[in-house]
Amino acid sequence: MKSTTSNLKFLVGKCIQAIDQSDSRGLQEVLQRYRGIVNELISKTASTTSINKSAANQITQTVVDDFELLCAHGLNHPTQTFTTQILNSQGALLSTTLTKSNSIIGKQLPDTFFKAYQIGSQSGSPPPQFIDRLMDNLATPMNRMPSELTRADTEDEITRISGIGDAIVDVYWKLFLNAIDEEDGYLFNICWEGFDLQDTGISAQSHIDAYSDLDDGERPQIGSHYEIDDADLEQHRRDYFDQLVDRLSKYRFAAAAWAFRQYREENISSRFFSDIFTQLIHEDYQEEGLSTISEVYFSISLEDDRLLDSGRHAEVSPMKQSWSFSSSIQSWLLDFYSFLGPFIISDSSIDAVLEEGETPVPVTDSVAARSQSVADRVSELETGYEDWQQQFGVSFTERGKEAFIEAHSIAKDEFRSEEFDEIREATPEREKVREFKQEAVESFTSDFKLRIALDSFNSLSQVSQLSADSEDVSFLDFVPKSRFTTFQSFHMASSPRVRPLLSLVMNRTVNESSLQIEPLQEFENLPERLLSAVDQLGELENAVILTTPGISFGEYLSHDRFTRPDRNESQSLRASFRLDDTPVIMDHSIDHAGYNAIVLNELQAVSWTELIREGSPLGITIAHEDDNIQELVDQYDVPEFEYGSGRPMVAVEYEYEFAVDSTELSGVAIKRAGSD
């Protein structure tokens, strides 16, 4: 392998010599010899026994470094001839990797074109001839992708080819961003036009169908590519091709959105953005129509966010260094979509929306979930539309803006109506009910800080039956029914809400106990008030202090008696800090119960017993039938606005039953001012 690397380095030296001597023919001959050696290595990687992965990686890095060096040297020559020859050699090698199995080099070569662009742009935008040759050599293997996918007859082959395709698309995205960063209109134009991915020959289904229709004796002896069991391969080819086309369309939209953001942030000139917007973006998207653009925008998922974000991790332009995805990706995509929509919605679409109640926007869960965000963002951009109309010379009407917003509202209503009907008819799935209950119990046991403290002092016991005079606390909540079905687009953050129940338990506990209840005046400082309360109680033993979140740790730690817990000590109580030797625990439930802090002393003397049902201290009843829901609504006297949103809901009743001798609880409860 060392001899191979040495041979390649020797040939690189000869290439540099040919460039220095302006010997175009000599350079071509040496580049052919160089490609011959690399092509032989690429062929060897088809067999895992011929060359090991480490050696292949070493050769790959050598080739990448060599072409970076050659591009830098070629670009220093006053003519473009030598750079063209070098780029053509890179492109030829890249195309070769498409046909060679298990090639490691194929995934690394595309990035050499981005390196070439960076080198070429160090002193300004590269000449058009250079960009043409660079993009042509990326486009050639990409445009062959459909035929290469059709040729692939194993899962591994499809995966290998798709890996090369992904690498080319990654470079395309980085070049797109660089075109904006460098205000390189020529490169932006070529990136905007994209690739010529003809959907020809992706599917072998016609051959398979014809093969199936023949009798055994009539069937020709065809290759494995058209075997009947190739249905999975066919689907794999189709999935990747569709994914490739989809990804390119998203990158195109995202590039336009990023240009709009950079224009608004004054990172690029208004003239550059005006040129690409009026000549390319507006013209093409107006022709494609709002329905197509909406499909692209609303199909951009969180996974796509990660792909888009990958551009900022590349080496940025040495000229401006302005790549920065500091703001939320979804936010600047929404900005652009809300800016673009009113300018491209057609007159016929405006009439259909406002007069017929029809929408060109897809009726999907994503549109329904984000329609209000679109309306809000259009409102935020309100003052800019007329200025942009004058600056870019494109048509805009208030009626078009109104129709753009209404189109999304109609789509949302249609989707909800269709999905809600299906949800109403659905029965909650047993597994989803189980998962919800498990999540509720975990939340209950982790948020019930008093219970955790009692357990740590061995003061908590559990029984399967309690006496009639026990405390029974319950809370009724309403959760979207979609949370328990396969239709989950609208359950959003419908996690179990157990804190209201915990607040009721804490209220019941304090009210029935012998705790001293003292108010915290508005002018009083809580840490100082706590110090005073503890001093009044005297020495604390086996105690805990529950305090509301919202007070900064700095306010507590400004007093010497409040300290951080030792990292090595037991953290079963998860104390935020200590007051003297007493753990101080943040507890949301006491805040909702109207208390700033509760000091509980001598917890080892308390006997707290809780009822266990179905292995849990938390009782959970889920009602989805209308009659059962109404019965609970009447029982809890719930106002209709709390559950009658039109969305299918289920009623969830949480219940906690416990017994405690109130005289055993000693301490102080500091009540929030104005909470009576």
Side-chain angles (χ1 to χ4, degrees), residues 426-437:
T427 301
E429 298 176 14
R430 182 176 300 177
E431 181 60 21
K432 293 185 182 296
V433 170
R434 187 195 65 77
E435 290 173 356
F436 182 87
K437 288 184 175 182

Side-chain angles (χ1 to χ4, degrees), residues 292-310:
T292 300
I293 308 312
S294 296
E295 286 181 7
V296 174
Y297 168 66
F298 285 107
S299 67
I300 296 176
S301 64
L302 293 177
E303 181 63 31
D304 294 315
D305 276 5
R306 285 186 280 275
L307 291 173
L308 296 176
D309 198 39
S310 65

Side-chain angles (χ1 to χ4, degrees), residues 659-676:
V660 61
D661 185 345
S662 59
T663 62
E664 294 175 346
L665 285 169
S666 63
V668 177
I670 301 175
K671 197 170 185 65
R672 187 172 63 239
S675 62
D676 292 330

Side-chain angles (χ1 to χ4, degrees), residues 613-673:
R613 40 195 138 192
E614 297 181 358
S616 167
L618 179 65
I620 306 172
T621 302
I622 298 177
H624 67 93
E625 298 288 351
D626 290 344
D627 292 344
N628 295 335
I629 293 176
Q630 190 59 51
E631 184 179 335
L632 288 169
V633 166
D634 294 340
Q635 177 184 332
Y636 283 84
D637 194 21
V638 179
E640 184 177 353
F641 72 84
E642 290 192 14
Y643 68 94
S645 63
R647 178 184 303 173
M649 308 290 279
V650 299
V652 181
E653 183 183 35
Y654 302 107
E655 186 176 9
Y656 180 65
E657 192 171 348
F658 65 101
V660 61
D661 185 345
S662 59
T663 62
E664 294 175 346
L665 285 169
S666 63
V668 177
I670 301 175
K671 197 170 185 65
R672 187 172 63 239

